[in-house]
């Protein structure tokens, strides 16, 4: 198969995954049956661009068009919204590339770049274009622009903060053949504990219980780094959104705006806690390993500089006069 055929398959695969992720996201619709608190396709799109390169952008455009064609008020509106959904992750990927972003997310600067450039700045493009088109087409009243914009923006941003790291981790996931029984037991206990505590916190009206989730995120980041923090954050955010959509727990009786503020504040805190701690711990581990290697090389150099015991036989005596040369015969 040639290079063109391989690129075409990648584009079609991106479009299919984008469309499937959109169908999952549309299960939690809050505004006009198409704006959700978590929009997974943006995370899929950015991860595809970071891993495969900008050449797969047509797959994002195709997937976005197929999703919006059944939602948009008119064909022109669909095309403009599709352009915004494509342009946002492309611009985010370009900004991240400019900032020297690494897909491993093993540095604090990479996480900060993903937050500020990928999520906050990049996703303002799609939310502005999408909300503006809905107002101009008459699908929304002018007074609903900012509430729709805020929900659209935070939904796209959460897709970047939650889905993109998970996909980047999944890309390099390998079966831990050397993991012992204790490690497996800890991983299972972490997963069950995270899900159980999140269900308890999001099904109880006391919003203070939401803070009970933080220790499990810290546990995941400390012990399993990004490989544990990213899936835990995705699980917590998903369960919180399900609770808000079902009008349960701390989201009972609130209007859309108030519910979104509480929900997205919790989701944002969850994602940032997991990503930042995992990056800091990974960076600390790498620094420690570099120091160990430097010390080992330094010890090797010092050992080469030290004289060997055999060389002492050829040294002159420390006391007494120097040996006299024999007179010529």
């Amino acid at each position: 198969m040639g290079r063109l055929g391989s690129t075409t398959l990648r584009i079609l695969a991106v479009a299919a995954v984008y469309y499937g992720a959109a169908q999952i996201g549309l299960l939690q619709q809050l505004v006009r049956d198409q704006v959700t608190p978590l929009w997974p396709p943006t995370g899929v799109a950015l991860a595809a661009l970071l891993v495969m390169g900008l050449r797969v952008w047509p797959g994002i455009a195709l997937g976005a068009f197929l999703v919006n064609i059944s939602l948009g008020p008119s064909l022109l509106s669909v095309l403009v919204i599709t352009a915004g959904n494509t342009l946002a992750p492309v611009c985010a990927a370009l900004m991240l590339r400019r900032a020297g972003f690494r897909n491993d997310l093993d540095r604090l600067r990479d996480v900060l770049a993903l937050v500020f450039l990928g999520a906050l700045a990049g996703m303002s493009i799609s939310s502005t274009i999408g909300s503006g088109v809905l107002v101009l087409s008459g699908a929304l009243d002018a007074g609903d622009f900012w509430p729709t914009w805020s929900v659209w923006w935070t939904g796209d941003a959460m897709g970047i903060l939650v889905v993109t790291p998970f996909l980047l981790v999944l890309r390099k996931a390998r079966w831990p053949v050397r993991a012992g029984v204790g490690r497996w037991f800890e991983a299972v206990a972490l997963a069950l504990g995270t899900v159980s505590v999140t269900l308890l916190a999001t099904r109880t009206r006391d919003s203070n219980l939401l803070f009970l989730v933080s220790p499990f995120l810290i546990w995941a980041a400390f012990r399993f780094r990004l490989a544990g923090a990213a899936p835990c954050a995705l699980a917590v955010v998903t369960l919180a959104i399900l609770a808000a959509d079902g009008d349960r727990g701390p989201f009972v009786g609130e209007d859309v705006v108030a519910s979104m503020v509480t929900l997205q504040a919790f989701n944002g805190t969850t994602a940032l806690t997991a990503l930042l701690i995992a990056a800091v711990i990974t960076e600390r581990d790498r620094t420690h390993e570099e120091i160990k290697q430097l010390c080992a090389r330094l010890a090797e150099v010092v050992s080469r500089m030290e004289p060997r015991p055999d060389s002492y036989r050829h040294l002159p005596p420390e006391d007494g006069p120097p040996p006299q040369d024999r007179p010529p015969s």
Side-chain angles (χ1 to χ4, degrees), residues 208-229:
N208 292 326
L209 293 180
L210 293 175
F211 293 100
L212 293 176
V213 180
S214 297
F216 289 88
L217 298 173
I218 297 173
W219 178 9
F222 263 93
R223 294 291 294 157
F224 298 94
R225 310 301 185 264
L226 189 65

Side-chain angles (χ1 to χ4, degrees), residues 31-56:
V31 179
R32 204 193 165 274
D33 293 337
Q34 72 181 87
V35 184
T36 72
L38 173 63
W39 188 236
T42 57
V44 171
L46 183 57
L49 292 170
L50 292 175
V51 174
M52 304 180 190
L54 295 177
R55 63 181 179 272
V56 299

